[in-house]
């Protein structure tokens, strides 16, 4: 069964998959884990963003052929920084939806809700403890806030960035308690493989 195609969002939205982590607890590169014989976890997450309405979709992480961090070894925020600077050349892109490569339970419909909540000024995230997934305006102001948080002495914290930006939240559906689960270990990966995943079960 083919995945439903979402209509393009009214605000042109790029997608970004953060895939630059070292995957120490997994023991191998998470991005390259096989979802099917033809598709890796990275390809699966790229597809989820495309179905949600993102175009183009970028990848952070030069080890998997994506964007190299402008500031190496500075965590996910460095990946966001590099993507925002790459998108600065594309004035038509108003916002970017950021997801980690290891959060495959995120449904495209929920990602589309985040996109729809964007107004070109506010960051948008789901209610909960996780700062990701996250919708960021693709603006010079946001680039400056991210760059400042990457300076020497800063905590390089995405939460600190969000504390400096106007922020909207989108509520999680009451039956979606596991959509923010990360796949960090081989047992996490095995459990997700055993779950009903529609086309990928």
């Amino acid at each position: 069964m083919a995945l439903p195609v979402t209509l393009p969002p009214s605000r042109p939205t790029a997608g970004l998959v953060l895939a630059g982590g070292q995957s120490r607890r997994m023991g191998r590169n998470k991005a390259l884990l096989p979802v099917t014989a033809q598709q890796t976890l990275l390809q699966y997450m790229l597809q989820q963003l495309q179905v949600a309405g993102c175009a183009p979709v970028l990848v952070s992480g030069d080890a998997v052929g994506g964007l190299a961090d402008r500031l190496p070894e500075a965590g996910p925020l460095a990946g966001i920084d590099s993507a925002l600077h790459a998108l600065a050349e594309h004035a038509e892109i108003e916002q970017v939806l950021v997801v980690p490569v290891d959060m495959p339970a995120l449904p495209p419909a929920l990602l589309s809700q985040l996109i729809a909540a964007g107004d070109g000024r506010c960051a948008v995230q789901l209610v909960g403890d996780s700062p990701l997934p996250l919708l960021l305006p693709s603006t010079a102001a946001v680039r400056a806030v991210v760059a400042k948080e990457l300076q020497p002495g800063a905590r390089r914290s995405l939460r600190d960035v969000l504390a400096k930006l106007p922020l909207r939240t989108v509520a999680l559906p009451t039956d979606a308690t596991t959509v923010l689960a990360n796949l960090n270990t081989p047992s996490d990966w095995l459990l997700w493989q055993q779950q009903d995943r529609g086309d990928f079960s």
Side-chain angles (χ1 to χ4, degrees):
M1 181 179 67
L3 288 169
V5 177
T6 305
L7 292 175
S10 56
R11 292 187 179 277
T13 303
L16 172 65
V17 180
L18 296 174
Q22 298 186 16
S23 305
R24 289 190 181 95
R25 283 184 285 173
M26 186 65 71
R28 54 176 171 157
N29 193 329
K30 295 180 194 179
L32 303 180
L33 290 170
V35 175
T36 69
Q38 294 81 32
Q39 189 176 48
T40 64
L41 184 57
L42 174 58
Q43 291 167 333
Y44 176 74
M45 293 304 294
L46 290 170
Q47 178 179 269
Q48 298 299 85
L49 286 174
Q50 290 165 347
V51 173
C54 296
V57 178
L58 309 179
V59 176
S60 165
D62 54 354
V64 291
L67 295 170
D69 291 347
R70 298 192 319 141
L71 182 63
E73 299 182 13
L77 197 59
I80 293 172
D81 169 74
S82 294
L84 287 172
H85 276 81
L87 291 169
E89 301 177 5
H90 301 275
E92 73 280 7
I93 299 297
E94 297 186 26
Q95 50 193 19
V96 55
L97 180 59
V98 184
V99 300
V101 74
D102 62 356
M103 205 176 275
L106 286 168
L110 190 57
L111 297 176
S112 293
Q113 281 185 262
L114 287 172
I115 293 172
D119 64 356
R121 185 181 68 90
C122 293
V124 183
Q125 67 177 151
L126 295 171
V127 173
D129 294 331
S130 175
L132 295 170
L134 173 68
L135 185 78
L136 287 172
S138 183
T139 64
V142 172
R143 290 194 295 275
V145 170
V146 171
K148 185 174 182 180
E149 189 58 33
L150 287 169
Q151 291 178 348
R155 296 200 305 166
R156 296 175 177 174
S157 164
L158 185 51
R159 295 182 192 279
D160 287 356
V161 168
L162 293 177
K164 297 176 176 70
L165 298 176
L167 182 65
R168 291 179 172 182
T169 56
V170 171
L172 273 169
T174 55
D175 60 348
T177 56
T178 63
V179 299
L180 299 181
N182 294 102
L183 304 183
N184 291 314
T185 66
S187 59
D188 294 338
W189 174 243
L190 179 62
L191 178 62
W192 184 69
Q193 287 180 303
Q194 292 171 342
Q195 293 171 348
D196 180 8
R197 295 180 283 121
D199 290 352
F200 304 98
S201 58

